[in-house]
Amino acid sequence: QEQLVESGGGLVQPGGSLRLSCASSGLPFSSYAMAWYRQATGKTREFVAGISSAGATTNYVDSVKGRFTISRDNAKNTVYLQMDSLKTEDTAVYYCKAGVYWGKGTLVTVSA
């Protein structure tokens, strides 16, 4: 059964850092481009970052460029999102996506 499980969310102060992980099972992980999305309360889900299947290409929404870094470890079937210099507007549930498959999300709260 295909499964994506996010972890690493939590409460952090503005300017702080968090590292999200998304572990995959039941999928040929190394064949999939992976992406992180987020959804804040009352807003639509938005793309945050993407990475190609081999990890050679990445792309980001403008609002996180220079602060977030997406990476992957195909040997561990895991994709990561390193989030630095966090802002209150980064508060959202963060989701991992592979093709048509979605994880259930992990909550990131940035607050003083």
Side-chain angles (χ1 to χ4, degrees):
Q1 182 177 358
E2 301 83 1
Q3 192 172 17
L4 298 171
V5 179
E6 302 93 339
S7 61
L11 174 64
V12 64
Q13 293 186 342
S17 297
L18 281 175
R19 188 194 196 203
L20 305 184
S21 299
C22 172
S24 168
S25 59
L27 288 171
F29 181 79
S30 62
S31 298
Y32 277 87
M34 299 294 296
W36 287 96
Y37 284 71
R38 67 185 178 187
Q39 187 167 17
T41 302
K43 296 188 176 181
T44 56
R45 193 171 297 188
E46 68 167 350
F47 170 83
V48 176
I51 188 167
S52 59
S53 57
T57 304
T58 59
N59 60 315
Y60 302 89
V61 67
D62 284 348
S63 60
V64 308
K65 284 181 180 177
R67 300 190 298 120
F68 290 12
T69 303
I70 188 171
S71 62
R72 65 190 296 160
D73 185 338
N74 284 350
K76 295 183 178 179
N77 292 345
T78 302
V79 62
Y80 305 97
L81 187 67
Q82 177 67 41
M83 306 186 295
D84 299 318
S85 302
L86 282 161
K87 304 176 181 180
T88 55
E89 52 263 42
D90 295 318
T91 295
V93 177
Y94 284 71
Y95 298 90
C96 173
K97 179 179 183 288
V100 299
Y101 303 104
W102 291 86
K104 293 183 178 181
T106 185
L107 177 63
V108 172
T109 303
V110 185
S111 175

